[in-house]
Amino acid sequence: MKTDIPSSALRDAFQASMKSVGFGRRLGGTVYQLWDLELFYEVSDVDASANASDPGVLRGDILANIASFETGIRQLPGWVELCKGVDEQYQGFCMQGISMANYAMSSRNVSDGEIVPQELTLDAQGTDAIPVEVAMDMIRRHQIQDFLFPTGFSVHSSSSKRLRSCFRFIYPAAASEVSVSERRIAIADNLEKWRAFASKQLLPYLRKHASVGAARMYYTGRSLESLDLEEMMSEDMLLAIISVSLVLSYMVYYTQGVFLGLMGLILVVTAVPLAYVLIALLTGDPTISLAFGLSLFLVVGIGSDVVFVYSDFWKASRKRVMTDKQRMIWTYRHAGKASLATTATTAASFLANLASVLKSLRQFGFFMGMCVILVWALVSLLFLPVCAIEERIGARWRSRCRPRESRWPRCSWWPALKEVLRERLRCSCLSSMLPTFRVDYWVRSLAAYKYITVALWLALAAGAMVSGIALANTNTSLPSIYPEEHNHNKILSLSPEFRPLNSLLDLSVLPKPILASVCDEKELDPFRLAHCSLFWCEVKTQAPAVNLDRCSCARQQRNCTNQAQISALVVQRFVHKANTDFSSLDGSLGEFLGNNSEGLFFDQARTRKQHIQAVKHRPPLVLHDWYTGSLQVAALTEVSTNMRRSLGSSLSPSSCGWTDLCFCGLAPCSTPRAPWLALPTGPDLPGARRLAVLAGGFSVPLRQRAFVDVSFGLSLSSDSSILGKVEDDKTWAFDADHEAQNPWTQRNLLKFCEELPEDLRITDKICWIEDFKSFALTRTGRFPVLPTSFDKEATYFAETTVVDETNIKDYIWIRSGEVKASRMRFRIDVHRRAPVFESLRHKSRWDAYVDSYNANAPRSARDAVQTADLWVQAEAVRELISSTVITVVIAIAFSFFGTLLVTFDLLLSIFVVMATISVICFLMFFMVVVMGWVIGPIEIIALIAFIGYAMTYSLHIVHRYGSFRPLSIQSTDRKTLRMERVSFSVRSIGMAALGSANTTVGCSLPMVLCTLTIFNKLGGVILVVTVLSILMALVPLPSLLLCAGPMTPGWWLPALKDWWQKQQTRMAKPEQAEPEPELPESGTMDLEQAERADEEDPKKLKPVRA
């Protein structure tokens, strides 16, 4: 989630610079398009931990199912067609891909009458799985373990819960010499082919096989996520149509006209695209997020409120004898003021989100504020003319509607019922079919229990606030728009455990060979041995008993090409179990060779260990028992020893060397035959290997540790725009003062990596300068490297060096053969999701170390900048809490002052703020306690952005409460006056507020049923906010007004006007005073009398003080 904190801006700038790390040049003369497909397989923790030795996803039946599933993908007609268009040198990436199933379920090429294969075809077409240990050894030798297994996985392990398969189409788009327009056309055409294949063939196949045996399969690839999203949105379009239909139906009912309802909805919806265009012009950023789709539903509710207010006052103007022009002026004066009050305060509350550190929340708040303003402007300008036009055109049609008394027929009821329905539907006054809202009865009921209602309301609001704050947890990660178990969410959690495919596979990497050669255990030909992928032999069932203490050996003598040679090479090939330790082999081997020397002896000037020339670990040997069908895997280790010949000795002929084949703890494949001779005894079996326990006391698992990146030579910007998008190339640049060629820069970079404090808790690191030091000492014998040759040596070093399976070129920026910048990466013993305070404590330690380095380093090397995702997450949570509090305070302040400007009464403004805060408290209780949500960006939008929406109905009620103007209340007590004011406010604006709430509920109900989680969750939030807001405006707020409502709201404003008028009168010529109107005997006015008096001369209405 994008924020304005410095850590986030620096991290974004660093990640933008990583897009151009390396040499910054294009390979080859052809423009290629890359279409990837990554398949992830996972078994549940229960399946993998049911047995300590359970191989998990590497189980034979699961690998067989994976092989069958991936074979089905490769046989799709569209897949075959696209793969034919790939360059021949890259076709292996799409025809076979990089998959564990290719090795585990490889086909065996066996001659007739034999059971030992001559070679294996790595095509996943085999009927029987080969041992996992053999497949893992071939994967290790092909160096593709990073493609298949999570980071930190050991190829010597035979158990894993997760596995990945990779496929890539490297499609030639166009030659680099063609024009840019032609290249774009070719790229677009090829991409359209891929999208058509993915939507029609690939995605249906993947969704059908979500479970592959006991494993779950998840997928990601080019355009797959967007196609998934498009399909889900198309499914939700039906719900959107239903939502619009409900709103339109209610608008038609409320405005009593199809034309009015349709035009009102069009005016409201038009504000959304218009606001988008204006914001795009203001910010220069044309991008739009899915969160903006939420604005449509909110704008419909807020805009409907404005439409209903204008509609109600336009209807009320019919009772007055005025022209259309006078009716419009009267409607604008009353409806315009009422709607402008709520619009201004609502827009201000949305705009208060500009104080948030979350950029998405700022964008949403600004967008909603513009939408609210534009809705009011469009409806105010165009809706009243539409009403006048509709009234004139529809007058003739409505004149046909007459109230008729329907009688129930005594004989044939069906024709009579059709007639009744026909007559009813002809009338546009549909409101006569529904019961009227009994305002007086409702207000009297509230007055009877007003104190209980207010006390219960305040107690529940306080309890909701306390429980919501106590149980709230925060999360600043990007909210997912997909359901919890959706494929995309699982990919987000699985893919970080694997190395990115783009960092492993580029145009310089070619597919691995599809054939794996199989050798006999007695193979001695050096050329064949160099190309052996594994050894295979048949084990006789009636094998003799095995001596577990000693090895059983057979020997084959080497041919003497030169009888005068002094040294003889002795090779001993041991077949043993995988956990055998050969670190102390020299003792038993020396004793064995001494007893079976055949005229050879050791050089007395050298130790036995020095005689061992090499220890080679050959590919494993498969022991195939045809009788039982079992395959046993044994390790094969070769030990080469130099011995001296006894030339000229008459005691025994001197051997020219030999090769021993020893089976240690295992039955031999076959009985020795010439030229192999069985030896009477063999060496002692080495002891079992002991697993070393690493010291250090690391408390965090390897895969859960956080990373810290330190850059040198990069100028990273910590600035960010309030609304617009900042281009990546403007967030970073190369530091002009950085000189990697300077010897002092090299010394300081090395010093930075060698003098790391222990409190930084570094577990491992990738410091290219340390490896470059060894590289330079080997090539030139000097470090630091001279400035004249540094760039040349560093470039060659970056191109050819791989450290811990990591390409050094990913850590150095080289432009035109010159080193411009570099970075170091450190893994620390801190959890990547550590608590906020712990993360900030470690960040302060790193800041102190980097600041100390920059203070002591020379100018050419004092530009170190450290960034980490952990720091961004921790500071974002801290700033999110503080900015949320500030934003809430600003939004509530806007609500307060907006209400004060409308009502000119301090007490009414406080009442509106109380109602708004209580709605937010209840909403927080709903999200945190009822639903158990973590407070993230969506929840922050609900708590802050909806403050403006939550106060709309309450503001309408208090505004109409203060607008009631009795002539005189000297004979009326406070209780009666408050009752009249509340009845007037609910009667005059209650139905419009209720209608607006109904339209918003009609919009939000279909949203709750949407597939996309963001709409589903926000739909529920809108529904709850709407229900709470309308209930607050019609129940607790009227009760509070009945208890403590002001008798003369804003009394000081008319008094101030009277004083000013008196001052103006004294300065002018006095005029004859007009007689005051006579008051009714009751001393009060009804609604029509008050409005008539207001029309004649509002100055005559004298405020009455309490």
Side-chain angles (χ1 to χ4, degrees), residues 608-790:
R608 292 177 179 176
K609 183 174 292 187
Q610 291 175 338
H611 286 90
I612 298 178
Q613 186 177 13
V615 177
K616 294 182 180 180
H617 297 282
R618 294 290 186 183
L621 171 66
V622 178
L623 305 173
H624 192 167
D625 191 337
W626 178 253
Y627 179 76
T628 61
S630 65
L631 299 177
Q632 185 178 5
V633 180
L636 199 153
T637 305
E638 280 189 1
V639 180
S640 301
T641 308
N642 282 320
M643 301 185 69
R644 296 180 64 86
R645 299 181 65 200
S646 55
L647 300 178
S649 174
S650 59
L651 297 177
S652 62
S654 179
S655 172
C656 291
W658 63 81
T659 299
D660 289 340
L661 178 60
C662 301
F663 288 83
C664 303
L666 297 170
C669 289
S670 59
T671 304
R673 298 179 181 178
W676 292 86
L677 299 177
L679 298 179
T681 59
D684 294 335
L685 184 66
R689 179 185 302 156
R690 296 181 179 179
L691 297 178
V693 179
L694 296 178
F698 299 142
S699 59
V700 180
L702 179 65
R703 298 179 186 175
Q704 301 298 327
R705 296 174 191 167
F707 287 97
V708 177
D709 292 293
V710 182
S711 63
F712 300 87
L714 292 179
S715 178
L716 305 179
S717 173
S718 59
D719 299 331
S720 61
S721 63
I722 297 178
L723 294 173
K725 180 182 179 181
V726 180
E727 299 296 334
D728 289 344
D729 56 356
K730 296 181 180 179
T731 60
W732 70 279
F734 293 119
D735 192 343
D737 294 332
H738 183 76
E739 299 176 2
Q741 303 82 4
N742 191 318
W744 283 107
T745 301
Q746 302 174 47
R747 295 186 183 101
N748 278 270
L749 292 180
L750 183 63
K751 182 180 178 181
F752 183 91
C753 290
E754 291 181 343
E755 298 182 1
L756 295 166
E758 293 184 0
D759 60 354
L760 298 184
R761 304 190 66 178
I762 297 173
T763 61
D764 53 271
K765 58 185 177 180
I766 300 179
C767 282
W768 69 271
I769 192 67
E770 293 181 336
D771 299 288
F772 180 69
K773 171 188 174 183
S774 303
F775 174 85
L777 292 175
T778 302
R779 284 176 57 88
T780 65
R782 179 183 290 123
F783 181 85
V785 178
L786 295 176
T788 55
S789 59
F790 173 81

Side-chain angles (χ1 to χ4, degrees), residues 1011-1056:
T1011 307
L1012 294 176
T1013 303
I1014 186 171
F1015 289 132
N1016 180 279
K1017 181 178 288 189
L1018 289 175
V1021 170
I1022 296 173
L1023 179 62
V1024 172
V1025 169
T1026 304
V1027 173
L1028 289 174
S1029 300
I1030 194 65
L1031 288 178
M1032 195 63 57
L1034 296 180
V1035 181
L1037 183 59
S1039 300
L1040 185 60
L1041 292 173
L1042 290 171
C1043 292
M1047 300 298 293
T1048 55
W1051 61 267
W1052 56 271
L1053 185 62
L1056 181 62

Side-chain angles (χ1 to χ4, degrees), residues 174-235:
S176 58
E177 294 80 9
V178 301
S179 63
V180 176
S181 58
E182 294 177 346
R183 191 185 309 165
R184 290 177 177 174
I185 294 175
I187 291 175
D189 291 341
N190 293 335
L191 182 59
E192 186 60 31
K193 294 179 183 178
W194 168 258
R195 289 177 60 88
F197 159 70
S199 61
K200 296 179 181 179
Q201 300 182 32
L202 181 59
L203 281 177
Y205 183 86
L206 295 176
R207 295 180 186 133
K208 182 180 179 181
H209 298 83
S211 296
V212 181
R216 292 285 301 176
M217 185 276 301
Y218 307 100
Y219 58 86
T220 183
R222 178 67 182 270
S223 302
L224 298 186
E225 181 184 350
S226 61
L227 291 173
D228 266 338
L229 181 60
E230 291 173 5
E231 182 172 342
M232 295 174 69
M233 294 191 68
S234 64
E235 294 175 356

Side-chain angles (χ1 to χ4, degrees), residues 462-482:
M465 179 180 65
V466 172
S467 58
I469 294 176
L471 300 176
N473 294 315
T474 57
N475 179 20
T476 59
S477 60
L478 185 67
S480 175
I481 62 176
Y482 300 96

Side-chain angles (χ1 to χ4, degrees), residues 818-879:
E818 180 182 356
V819 176
K820 306 293 290 186
S822 62
R823 70 181 178 107
M824 319 290 187
R825 164 159 282 203
F826 305 89
R827 196 197 305 263
I828 59 177
D829 189 30
V830 179
H831 201 283
R832 57 190 180 95
R833 298 190 181 275
V836 175
F837 297 106
E838 180 183 354
S839 302
L840 294 178
R841 184 172 65 253
H842 286 291
K843 179 182 182 298
S844 63
R845 296 172 182 173
W846 275 91
D847 287 337
Y849 178 67
V850 173
D851 292 343
S852 174
Y853 165 81
N854 287 330
N856 298 319
R859 185 177 181 83
S860 62
R862 63 173 62 168
D863 46 12
V865 179
Q866 61 96 7
T867 63
D869 290 329
L870 181 62
W871 314 151
V872 176
Q873 177 184 346
E875 290 195 348
V877 172
R878 183 185 63 182
E879 295 296 330

Side-chain angles (χ1 to χ4, degrees), residues 303-335:
S304 300
D305 177 72
V306 180
V307 171
F308 294 157
V309 169
Y310 273 99
S311 177
D312 284 349
F313 279 97
W314 178 256
K315 293 175 187 176
S317 67
R318 294 175 184 171
K319 301 178 182 179
R320 302 176 178 275
V321 183
M322 294 185 295
T323 63
D324 287 348
K325 179 180 179 181
Q326 293 173 334
R327 289 176 61 189
M328 285 188 179
I329 295 175
W330 185 88
T331 304
Y332 273 125
R333 188 171 63 182
H334 291 80

